[in-house]
PDB file of all heavy atoms in Angstrom:
ATOM      1  N   ASP A 135      28.763-118.075 -79.888  1.00  0.00           N
ATOM      2  CA  ASP A 135      28.416-117.304 -80.983  1.00  0.00           C
ATOM      3  C   ASP A 135      28.195-118.190 -82.161  1.00  0.00           C
ATOM      4  O   ASP A 135      29.309-118.490 -82.932  1.00  0.00           O
ATOM      5  CB  ASP A 135      29.551-116.310 -81.305  1.00  0.00           C
ATOM      6  CG  ASP A 135      29.236-115.346 -82.443  1.00  0.00           C
ATOM      7  OD1 ASP A 135      28.217-115.584 -83.228  1.00  0.00           O
ATOM      8  OD2 ASP A 135      30.130-114.435 -82.758  1.00  0.00           O
ATOM      9  N   LEU A 136      27.111-118.695 -82.480  1.00  0.00           N
ATOM     10  CA  LEU A 136      26.813-119.634 -83.589  1.00  0.00           C
ATOM     11  C   LEU A 136      27.258-119.190 -84.928  1.00  0.00           C
ATOM     12  O   LEU A 136      27.432-119.920 -85.797  1.00  0.00           O
ATOM     13  CB  LEU A 136      25.355-120.046 -83.549  1.00  0.00           C
ATOM     14  CG  LEU A 136      24.845-120.766 -82.157  1.00  0.00           C
ATOM     15  CD1 LEU A 136      23.454-121.203 -82.332  1.00  0.00           C
ATOM     16  CD2 LEU A 136      25.863-121.939 -81.928  1.00  0.00           C
ATOM     17  N   SER A 137      27.246-117.822 -85.229  1.00  0.00           N
ATOM     18  CA  SER A 137      27.592-117.257 -86.388  1.00  0.00           C
ATOM     19  C   SER A 137      29.010-117.698 -86.853  1.00  0.00           C
ATOM     20  O   SER A 137      29.309-117.907 -88.125  1.00  0.00           O
ATOM     21  CB  SER A 137      27.455-115.834 -86.523  1.00  0.00           C
ATOM     22  OG  SER A 137      28.480-115.144 -85.702  1.00  0.00           O
ATOM     23  N   LYS A 138      29.919-118.040 -85.935  1.00  0.00           N
ATOM     24  CA  LYS A 138      31.317-118.454 -86.278  1.00  0.00           C
ATOM     25  C   LYS A 138      31.436-119.863 -86.516  1.00  0.00           C
ATOM     26  O   LYS A 138      32.379-120.401 -87.002  1.00  0.00           O
ATOM     27  CB  LYS A 138      32.130-117.933 -85.136  1.00  0.00           C
ATOM     28  CG  LYS A 138      32.345-116.495 -85.096  1.00  0.00           C
ATOM     29  CD  LYS A 138      33.691-116.003 -84.763  1.00  0.00           C
ATOM     30  CE  LYS A 138      33.725-114.510 -84.838  1.00  0.00           C
ATOM     31  NZ  LYS A 138      34.595-113.846 -83.941  1.00  0.00           N
ATOM     32  N   LEU A 139      30.350-120.681 -86.160  1.00  0.00           N
ATOM     33  CA  LEU A 139      30.339-122.144 -86.266  1.00  0.00           C
ATOM     34  C   LEU A 139      29.700-122.450 -87.596  1.00  0.00           C
ATOM     35  O   LEU A 139      29.502-123.662 -87.890  1.00  0.00           O
ATOM     36  CB  LEU A 139      29.595-122.718 -85.150  1.00  0.00           C
ATOM     37  CG  LEU A 139      30.299-122.611 -83.871  1.00  0.00           C
ATOM     38  CD1 LEU A 139      29.392-123.225 -82.625  1.00  0.00           C
ATOM     39  CD2 LEU A 139      31.682-123.203 -83.780  1.00  0.00           C
ATOM     40  N   THR A 140      29.037-121.540 -88.291  1.00  0.00           N
ATOM     41  CA  THR A 140      28.292-121.723 -89.592  1.00  0.00           C
ATOM     42  C   THR A 140      28.989-121.148 -90.769  1.00  0.00           C
ATOM     43  O   THR A 140      29.291-119.933 -90.700  1.00  0.00           O
ATOM     44  CB  THR A 140      26.799-121.281 -89.498  1.00  0.00           C
ATOM     45  OG1 THR A 140      26.809-119.935 -89.209  1.00  0.00           O
ATOM     46  CG2 THR A 140      26.059-122.036 -88.269  1.00  0.00           C
ATOM     47  N   GLY A 141      29.141-121.760 -91.784  1.00  0.00           N
ATOM     48  CA  GLY A 141      29.768-121.144 -93.032  1.00  0.00           C
ATOM     49  C   GLY A 141      31.249-121.020 -92.815  1.00  0.00           C
ATOM     50  O   GLY A 141      31.672-120.227 -91.841  1.00  0.00           O
ATOM     51  N   PHE A 142      32.044-121.515 -93.550  1.00  0.00           N
ATOM     52  CA  PHE A 142      33.537-121.571 -93.287  1.00  0.00           C
ATOM     53  C   PHE A 142      34.204-120.303 -93.704  1.00  0.00           C
ATOM     54  O   PHE A 142      35.452-120.048 -93.439  1.00  0.00           O
ATOM     55  CB  PHE A 142      34.121-122.729 -93.998  1.00  0.00           C
ATOM     56  CG  PHE A 142      34.222-122.823 -95.436  1.00  0.00           C
ATOM     57  CD1 PHE A 142      35.013-122.218 -96.049  1.00  0.00           C
ATOM     58  CD2 PHE A 142      33.272-123.588 -96.131  1.00  0.00           C
ATOM     59  CE1 PHE A 142      35.164-122.087 -97.599  1.00  0.00           C
ATOM     60  CE2 PHE A 142      33.333-123.537 -97.582  1.00  0.00           C
ATOM     61  CZ  PHE A 142      34.298-122.987 -98.245  1.00  0.00           C
ATOM     62  N   GLU A 143      33.645-119.438 -94.574  1.00  0.00           N
ATOM     63  CA  GLU A 143      34.497-118.265 -95.257  1.00  0.00           C
ATOM     64  C   GLU A 143      35.133-117.413 -94.187  1.00  0.00           C
ATOM     65  O   GLU A 143      36.297-117.149 -94.385  1.00  0.00           O
ATOM     66  CB  GLU A 143      33.453-117.518 -96.237  1.00  0.00           C
ATOM     67  CG  GLU A 143      33.077-118.190 -97.491  1.00  0.00           C
ATOM     68  CD  GLU A 143      34.408-118.440 -98.334  1.00  0.00           C
ATOM     69  OE1 GLU A 143      35.354-117.652 -98.342  1.00  0.00           O
ATOM     70  OE2 GLU A 143      34.408-119.468 -99.011  1.00  0.00           O
ATOM     71  N   SER A 144      34.495-117.020 -93.134  1.00  0.00           N
ATOM     72  CA  SER A 144      35.084-116.126 -92.192  1.00  0.00           C
ATOM     73  C   SER A 144      36.264-116.714 -91.579  1.00  0.00           C
ATOM     74  O   SER A 144      37.358-116.129 -91.363  1.00  0.00           O
ATOM     75  CB  SER A 144      34.104-115.662 -91.161  1.00  0.00           C
ATOM     76  OG  SER A 144      34.671-114.878 -90.291  1.00  0.00           O
ATOM     77  N   PHE A 145      36.113-118.085 -91.274  1.00  0.00           N
ATOM     78  CA  PHE A 145      37.336-118.753 -90.475  1.00  0.00           C
ATOM     79  C   PHE A 145      38.423-118.857 -91.509  1.00  0.00           C
ATOM     80  O   PHE A 145      39.590-118.750 -91.175  1.00  0.00           O
ATOM     81  CB  PHE A 145      36.764-120.146 -90.032  1.00  0.00           C
ATOM     82  CG  PHE A 145      37.827-120.855 -89.477  1.00  0.00           C
ATOM     83  CD1 PHE A 145      38.339-120.660 -88.099  1.00  0.00           C
ATOM     84  CD2 PHE A 145      38.469-121.881 -90.179  1.00  0.00           C
ATOM     85  CE1 PHE A 145      39.492-121.337 -87.618  1.00  0.00           C
ATOM     86  CE2 PHE A 145      39.563-122.604 -89.601  1.00  0.00           C
ATOM     87  CZ  PHE A 145      40.087-122.436 -88.294  1.00  0.00           C
ATOM     88  N   LYS A 146      38.066-119.250 -92.696  1.00  0.00           N
ATOM     89  CA  LYS A 146      39.104-119.404 -93.759  1.00  0.00           C
ATOM     90  C   LYS A 146      39.867-118.131 -93.918  1.00  0.00           C
ATOM     91  O   LYS A 146      41.110-118.181 -93.965  1.00  0.00           O
ATOM     92  CB  LYS A 146      38.468-119.792 -95.171  1.00  0.00           C
ATOM     93  CG  LYS A 146      39.496-119.999 -96.235  1.00  0.00           C
ATOM     94  CD  LYS A 146      38.704-120.122 -97.595  1.00  0.00           C
ATOM     95  CE  LYS A 146      39.874-120.317 -98.764  1.00  0.00           C
ATOM     96  NZ  LYS A 146      40.776-119.261 -98.844  1.00  0.00           N
ATOM     97  N   ASN A 147      39.237-116.960 -94.038  1.00  0.00           N
ATOM     98  CA  ASN A 147      39.909-115.780 -94.085  1.00  0.00           C
ATOM     99  C   ASN A 147      40.761-115.468 -92.859  1.00  0.00           C
ATOM    100  O   ASN A 147      42.019-115.037 -93.040  1.00  0.00           O
ATOM    101  CB  ASN A 147      38.862-114.537 -94.313  1.00  0.00           C
ATOM    102  CG  ASN A 147      38.156-114.593 -95.727  1.00  0.00           C
ATOM    103  OD1 ASN A 147      38.766-115.254 -96.565  1.00  0.00           O
ATOM    104  ND2 ASN A 147      37.120-114.136 -95.734  1.00  0.00           N
ATOM    105  N   PHE A 148      40.258-115.833 -91.780  1.00  0.00           N
ATOM    106  CA  PHE A 148      41.063-115.622 -90.493  1.00  0.00           C
ATOM    107  C   PHE A 148      42.313-116.471 -90.473  1.00  0.00           C
ATOM    108  O   PHE A 148      43.449-116.019 -90.234  1.00  0.00           O
ATOM    109  CB  PHE A 148      40.121-115.849 -89.356  1.00  0.00           C
ATOM    110  CG  PHE A 148      40.766-116.054 -88.014  1.00  0.00           C
ATOM    111  CD1 PHE A 148      41.317-115.019 -87.325  1.00  0.00           C
ATOM    112  CD2 PHE A 148      40.947-117.365 -87.373  1.00  0.00           C
ATOM    113  CE1 PHE A 148      41.944-115.082 -86.133  1.00  0.00           C
ATOM    114  CE2 PHE A 148      41.659-117.449 -86.192  1.00  0.00           C
ATOM    115  CZ  PHE A 148      42.193-116.390 -85.544  1.00  0.00           C
ATOM    116  N   ILE A 149      42.192-117.708 -90.923  1.00  0.00           N
ATOM    117  CA  ILE A 149      43.297-118.682 -90.736  1.00  0.00           C
ATOM    118  C   ILE A 149      44.374-118.323 -91.953  1.00  0.00           C
ATOM    119  O   ILE A 149      45.576-118.298 -91.722  1.00  0.00           O
ATOM    120  CB  ILE A 149      42.853-120.072 -90.982  1.00  0.00           C
ATOM    121  CG1 ILE A 149      42.291-120.737 -89.695  1.00  0.00           C
ATOM    122  CG2 ILE A 149      43.859-121.127 -91.537  1.00  0.00           C
ATOM    123  CD1 ILE A 149      43.261-120.752 -88.538  1.00  0.00           C
ATOM    124  N   ASP A 150      43.761-117.900 -93.174  1.00  0.00           N
ATOM    125  CA  ASP A 150      44.703-117.370 -94.243  1.00  0.00           C
ATOM    126  C   ASP A 150      45.575-116.295 -93.716  1.00  0.00           C
ATOM    127  O   ASP A 150      46.815-116.231 -93.951  1.00  0.00           O
ATOM    128  CB  ASP A 150      43.904-116.931 -95.403  1.00  0.00           C
ATOM    129  CG  ASP A 150      43.406-118.256 -96.157  1.00  0.00           C
ATOM    130  OD1 ASP A 150      43.809-119.293 -95.895  1.00  0.00           O
ATOM    131  OD2 ASP A 150      42.622-117.928 -97.099  1.00  0.00           O
ATOM    132  N   MET A 151      44.981-115.353 -92.933  1.00  0.00           N
ATOM    133  CA  MET A 151      45.715-114.156 -92.357  1.00  0.00           C
ATOM    134  C   MET A 151      46.885-114.823 -91.413  1.00  0.00           C
ATOM    135  O   MET A 151      47.981-114.197 -91.427  1.00  0.00           O
ATOM    136  CB  MET A 151      44.774-113.244 -91.612  1.00  0.00           C
ATOM    137  CG  MET A 151      45.512-112.065 -91.006  1.00  0.00           C
ATOM    138  SD  MET A 151      44.419-111.169 -89.827  1.00  0.00           S
ATOM    139  CE  MET A 151      44.171-112.600 -88.495  1.00  0.00           C
ATOM    140  N   LEU A 152      46.442-115.684 -90.511  1.00  0.00           N
ATOM    141  CA  LEU A 152      47.490-116.124 -89.533  1.00  0.00           C
ATOM    142  C   LEU A 152      48.642-116.995 -90.249  1.00  0.00           C
ATOM    143  O   LEU A 152      49.719-116.756 -89.899  1.00  0.00           O
ATOM    144  CB  LEU A 152      46.768-117.068 -88.494  1.00  0.00           C
ATOM    145  CG  LEU A 152      45.867-116.515 -87.616  1.00  0.00           C
ATOM    146  CD1 LEU A 152      45.243-117.521 -86.668  1.00  0.00           C
ATOM    147  CD2 LEU A 152      46.712-115.471 -86.743  1.00  0.00           C
ATOM    148  N   VAL A 153      48.254-117.632 -91.347  1.00  0.00           N
ATOM    149  CA  VAL A 153      49.285-118.441 -92.058  1.00  0.00           C
ATOM    150  C   VAL A 153      50.314-117.382 -92.699  1.00  0.00           C
ATOM    151  O   VAL A 153      51.409-117.545 -92.664  1.00  0.00           O
ATOM    152  CB  VAL A 153      48.584-119.277 -93.176  1.00  0.00           C
ATOM    153  CG1 VAL A 153      49.547-119.840 -94.050  1.00  0.00           C
ATOM    154  CG2 VAL A 153      47.943-120.409 -92.476  1.00  0.00           C
ATOM    155  N   ASP A 154      49.731-116.343 -93.257  1.00  0.00           N
ATOM    156  CA  ASP A 154      50.607-115.375 -93.841  1.00  0.00           C
ATOM    157  C   ASP A 154      51.359-114.558 -92.792  1.00  0.00           C
ATOM    158  O   ASP A 154      52.530-114.418 -93.086  1.00  0.00           O
ATOM    159  CB  ASP A 154      49.729-114.238 -94.583  1.00  0.00           C
ATOM    160  CG  ASP A 154      49.090-114.838 -95.900  1.00  0.00           C
ATOM    161  OD1 ASP A 154      49.568-115.948 -96.377  1.00  0.00           O
ATOM    162  OD2 ASP A 154      48.220-114.354 -96.447  1.00  0.00           O
ATOM    163  N   GLN A 155      50.754-114.194 -91.706  1.00  0.00           N
ATOM    164  CA  GLN A 155      51.590-113.529 -90.662  1.00  0.00           C
ATOM    165  C   GLN A 155      52.682-114.236 -90.087  1.00  0.00           C
ATOM    166  O   GLN A 155      53.661-113.675 -89.727  1.00  0.00           O
ATOM    167  CB  GLN A 155      50.514-113.219 -89.480  1.00  0.00           C
ATOM    168  CG  GLN A 155      49.746-111.989 -89.641  1.00  0.00           C
ATOM    169  CD  GLN A 155      48.875-111.752 -88.323  1.00  0.00           C
ATOM    170  OE1 GLN A 155      48.690-112.569 -87.458  1.00  0.00           O
ATOM    171  NE2 GLN A 155      48.179-110.779 -88.375  1.00  0.00           N
ATOM    172  N   HIS A 156      52.642-115.574 -90.118  1.00  0.00           N
ATOM    173  CA  HIS A 156      53.633-116.414 -89.436  1.00  0.00           C
ATOM    174  C   HIS A 156      54.498-117.007 -90.375  1.00  0.00           C
ATOM    175  O   HIS A 156      55.244-117.972 -90.248  1.00  0.00           O
ATOM    176  CB  HIS A 156      53.034-117.331 -88.447  1.00  0.00           C
ATOM    177  CG  HIS A 156      52.313-116.598 -87.351  1.00  0.00           C
ATOM    178  ND1 HIS A 156      53.098-116.051 -86.336  1.00  0.00           N
ATOM    179  CD2 HIS A 156      51.001-116.351 -87.078  1.00  0.00           C
ATOM    180  CE1 HIS A 156      52.266-115.497 -85.524  1.00  0.00           C
ATOM    181  NE2 HIS A 156      50.930-115.617 -85.918  1.00  0.00           N
ATOM    182  N   ASN A 157      54.359-116.654 -91.812  1.00  0.00           N
ATOM    183  CA  ASN A 157      55.260-117.151 -92.882  1.00  0.00           C
ATOM    184  C   ASN A 157      55.231-118.576 -92.898  1.00  0.00           C
ATOM    185  O   ASN A 157      56.184-119.269 -93.270  1.00  0.00           O
ATOM    186  CB  ASN A 157      56.711-116.679 -92.619  1.00  0.00           C
ATOM    187  CG  ASN A 157      56.773-115.119 -92.743  1.00  0.00           C
ATOM    188  OD1 ASN A 157      56.367-114.508 -93.569  1.00  0.00           O
ATOM    189  ND2 ASN A 157      57.474-114.494 -91.747  1.00  0.00           N
ATOM    190  N   LEU A 158      54.047-119.201 -92.793  1.00  0.00           N
ATOM    191  CA  LEU A 158      53.859-120.621 -93.092  1.00  0.00           C
ATOM    192  C   LEU A 158      53.525-120.831 -94.534  1.00  0.00           C
ATOM    193  O   LEU A 158      53.004-119.836 -95.216  1.00  0.00           O
ATOM    194  CB  LEU A 158      52.737-121.188 -92.130  1.00  0.00           C
ATOM    195  CG  LEU A 158      52.802-120.954 -90.633  1.00  0.00           C
ATOM    196  CD1 LEU A 158      51.670-121.346 -89.942  1.00  0.00           C
ATOM    197  CD2 LEU A 158      54.093-121.753 -90.132  1.00  0.00           C
ATOM    198  N   CYS A 159      53.669-122.086 -94.834  1.00  0.00           N
ATOM    199  CA  CYS A 159      53.525-122.330 -96.443  1.00  0.00           C
ATOM    200  C   CYS A 159      52.277-123.115 -96.735  1.00  0.00           C
ATOM    201  O   CYS A 159      52.452-124.389 -96.367  1.00  0.00           O
ATOM    202  CB  CYS A 159      54.839-122.853 -96.981  1.00  0.00           C
ATOM    203  SG  CYS A 159      54.801-123.132 -98.706  1.00  0.00           S
ATOM    204  N   LYS A 160      51.380-122.715 -97.135  1.00  0.00           N
ATOM    205  CA  LYS A 160      50.032-123.492 -97.393  1.00  0.00           C
ATOM    206  C   LYS A 160      50.337-124.262 -98.732  1.00  0.00           C
ATOM    207  O   LYS A 160      50.652-123.573 -99.725  1.00  0.00           O
ATOM    208  CB  LYS A 160      48.911-122.567 -97.458  1.00  0.00           C
ATOM    209  CG  LYS A 160      47.552-123.311 -97.739  1.00  0.00           C
ATOM    210  CD  LYS A 160      46.365-122.534 -97.498  1.00  0.00           C
ATOM    211  CE  LYS A 160      46.313-121.099 -97.957  1.00  0.00           C
ATOM    212  NZ  LYS A 160      45.030-120.445 -97.862  1.00  0.00           N
ATOM    213  N   VAL A 161      50.104-125.499 -98.668  1.00  0.00           N
ATOM    214  CA  VAL A 161      50.272-126.313-100.019  1.00  0.00           C
ATOM    215  C   VAL A 161      48.974-126.855-100.465  1.00  0.00           C
ATOM    216  O   VAL A 161      48.792-127.285-101.557  1.00  0.00           O
ATOM    217  CB  VAL A 161      51.279-127.481 -99.865  1.00  0.00           C
ATOM    218  CG1 VAL A 161      52.614-126.994 -99.539  1.00  0.00           C
ATOM    219  CG2 VAL A 161      50.777-128.327 -98.733  1.00  0.00           C
ATOM    220  N   GLY A 162      47.837-126.652 -99.725  1.00  0.00           N
ATOM    221  CA  GLY A 162      46.561-127.044-100.090  1.00  0.00           C
ATOM    222  C   GLY A 162      45.506-126.872 -98.883  1.00  0.00           C
ATOM    223  O   GLY A 162      45.968-126.717 -97.763  1.00  0.00           O
ATOM    224  N   GLU A 163      44.262-126.845 -99.353  1.00  0.00           N
ATOM    225  CA  GLU A 163      43.177-126.748 -98.381  1.00  0.00           C
ATOM    226  C   GLU A 163      41.896-127.285 -98.885  1.00  0.00           C
ATOM    227  O   GLU A 163      41.674-127.288-100.081  1.00  0.00           O
ATOM    228  CB  GLU A 163      43.007-125.338 -98.013  1.00  0.00           C
ATOM    229  CG  GLU A 163      42.427-124.397 -99.136  1.00  0.00           C
ATOM    230  CD  GLU A 163      42.597-122.859 -98.681  1.00  0.00           C
ATOM    231  OE1 GLU A 163      42.802-122.451 -97.614  1.00  0.00           O
ATOM    232  OE2 GLU A 163      42.063-122.015 -99.637  1.00  0.00           O
TER     233      GLU A 163
END
Side-chain angles (χ1 to χ4, degrees):
D135 182 356
L136 298 183
S137 70
K138 296 224 172 145
L139 297 177
T140 58
F142 68 79
E143 282 299 326
S144 178
F145 178 77
K146 179 187 178 311
N147 292 335
F148 170 73
I149 284 298
D150 285 348
M151 177 197 63
L152 289 178
V153 166
D154 289 344
Q155 276 181 353
H156 296 287
N157 298 311
L158 300 173
C159 183
K160 184 169 40 170
V161 295
E163 64 187 359

